[in-house]
Amino acid sequence: MPEGMIIKALSGYYYVRPDEGGDPVQCRARGIFKKRGVSPLVGDRVKFSETENGEGIVDEILPRSTELVRPPVANVDLAVLVFSVVHPDLNLLLLDKFLVHTESAGLDALIVFTKFDAADGEPDRERIVESVEAARQLYESIGYGSLVTSARRGEGIEELKRRLSGRISVFAGQSGVGKSSLLNALVPGLKLETSEISKKLGRGRHTTRHVELVPLPGGGYVADTPGFSQLDFAELGVGEIGSCFREFRELAEGCKFRGCTHVHEPGCAVLAAKERGEIAESRYANYLEFMTEWKENRRRY
Ligand code: GDP
Ligand code: ZN
């Protein structure tokens, strides 16, 4: 039975790109999925059979490595976290928040700094360039890849293509940081609406549409809808936030108490490392902020 990947789902149809190549096959799903309460997702690897009318049937969904809710995509392996260096300014609290969510979803993350060209026009250019460099050093030291780009000048686009090659990626980031511009630069002919265009047309973007995986010229796929649009900690357990800080994970094994929250406990290995300056101040401060937010969330429900 041929295998392939669902690249689009629309009105009860699944578009399956066969592994051996060729055009996507428009498929219905077997009734058994509905009975079992599972539905095929974009990104799913499937076995399918072709019917006489040139359409097909999804017969089996192969096991998923990851499963995202927003956007609903299976088997994503990389989150591209997009942050502009100006307009809007770099926001490390938000970056750490995204990282908690990507870690919790089991995704690797690549941090992409955008609009580097725009720094040139700023009176405090030096400071901006230094803060980007400092952020890159910090996150690379924790184990995250990072890149500096300018969609306008075409900087960093080839390198980004290389990093996305062979993976299924989803872009995430505040509105206005340049996600659509970056995707348009990566995929010739994609023509996603950027905010300038939606302003001209007098409408908000992201009207209800369906997620689609776009094949990249260098191999790999990217979702055409940004991810992690809703960032709260409601679905996380209390210990989980700490384990989503990569540099805390190994240290936490040395904490005196099981279930240590790394806030005030004696014999806490994370606090000790922070005192020795081995954990960045900003990371620890953001951790405390998230723990407080988490507690407030709990109280509300
Ligand atoms: P999104 O909301 O994250 O998809 O961001 P958009 O791609 O719509 O971009 C938001 C705004 O930033 C638009 O006005 C873009 O023209 C601008 N922009 C995007 N990329 C760049 C860039 O590399 N350099 C500069 N100077 N502006 C950019
Ligand atoms: Zn601890």
Side-chain angles (χ1 to χ4, degrees):
M1 201 180 280
E3 291 186 9
M5 188 175 78
I6 301 178
I7 57 163
K8 182 166 115 176
L10 194 65
S11 325
Y13 277 110
Y14 300 95
Y15 296 82
V16 178
R17 202 163 144 141
D19 285 348
E20 64 239 45
D23 289 336
V25 180
Q26 180 173 322
C27 294
R28 292 278 185 195
R30 266 176 59 188
I32 184 84
F33 294 129
K34 203 167 229 166
K35 274 185 222 130
R36 287 198 210 129
V38 288
S39 48
L41 284 177
V42 166
D44 265 330
R45 309 230 5 105
V46 299
K47 290 189 176 175
F48 68 101
S49 44
E50 283 174 84
T51 52
E52 277 132 37
N53 57 1
E55 296 192 353
I57 308 262
V58 173
D59 291 298
E60 192 183 336
I61 303 171
L62 301 177
R64 293 168 181 159
S65 60
T66 61
E67 193 179 317
L68 292 187
V69 180
R70 280 176 301 265
V73 183
N75 300 320
V76 172
D77 27 46
L78 181 69
V80 179
L81 305 182
V82 183
F83 281 82
S84 52
V85 305
V86 279
H87 314 302
D89 289 346
L90 210 51
N91 178 344
L92 295 189
L93 180 79
L94 189 61
L95 174 51
D96 284 335
K97 199 175 256 193
F98 273 117
L99 287 172
V100 168
H101 285 83
T102 58
E103 291 290 336
S104 160
L107 311 182
D108 194 9
L110 171 67
I111 303 165
V112 175
F113 299 104
T114 56
K115 305 196 197 179
F116 200 58
D117 65 282
D120 287 350
E122 297 296 308
D124 54 347
R125 179 180 185 280
E126 289 289 275
R127 188 199 55 80
I128 294 167
V129 173
E130 271 165 29
S131 69
V132 172
E133 202 34 56
R136 285 198 71 179
Q137 265 175 29
L138 165 56
Y139 290 95
E140 297 256 353
S141 78
I142 301 168
Y144 295 108
S146 73
L147 261 184
V148 176
T149 66
S150 159
R152 191 153 293 178
R153 283 194 203 139
E155 262 170 51
I157 304 299
E158 284 310 310
E159 178 60 23
L160 180 56
K161 249 180 229 169
R162 268 194 291 283
R163 307 256 191 135
L164 303 185
S165 165
R167 315 178 87 170
I168 300 181
S169 308
V170 58
F171 279 44
Q174 277 173 281
S175 144
V177 293
K179 295 180 296 298
S180 316
S181 305
L182 209 52
L183 284 168
N184 287 338
L186 280 171
V187 186
L190 182 62
K191 298 205 177 68
L192 286 181
E193 230 173 65
T194 60
S195 45
E196 273 161 1
I197 299 169
S198 17
K199 255 186 250 150
K200 255 183 233 157
L201 296 173
R203 63 177 189 221
R205 241 180 324 157
H206 309 309
T207 40
T208 339
R209 39 192 305 282
H210 294 267
V211 57
E212 193 170 333
L213 286 177
V214 180
L216 293 165
Y221 292 87
V222 63
D224 67 347
T225 310
F228 302 99
S229 46
Q230 214 171 317
L231 290 178
D232 58 43
F233 300 116
E235 284 148 37
L236 302 188
V238 66
E240 212 182 326
I241 297 181
S243 62
C244 290
F245 277 69
R246 272 192 189 174
E247 71 275 46
F248 293 13
R249 248 183 243 157
E250 211 172 303
L251 286 166
E253 286 167 26
C255 292
K256 188 168 171 201
F257 297 106
R258 268 179 147 247
C260 180
T261 63
H262 323 307
V263 177
H264 48 65
E265 291 90 341
C268 171
V270 172
L271 279 169
K274 186 205 133 214
E275 293 308 321
R276 290 194 303 269
E278 291 164 16
I279 289 175
E281 302 261 339
S282 68
R283 291 274 291 170
Y284 189 77
N286 292 343
Y287 170 70
L288 287 185
E289 173 74 31
F290 299 160
M291 290 298 276
T292 307
E293 228 176 271
W294 181 87
K295 278 184 210 136
E296 280 165 8
N297 268 338
R298 278 292 131 126
R299 238 175 268 137
R300 241 179 285 138
Y301 300 117

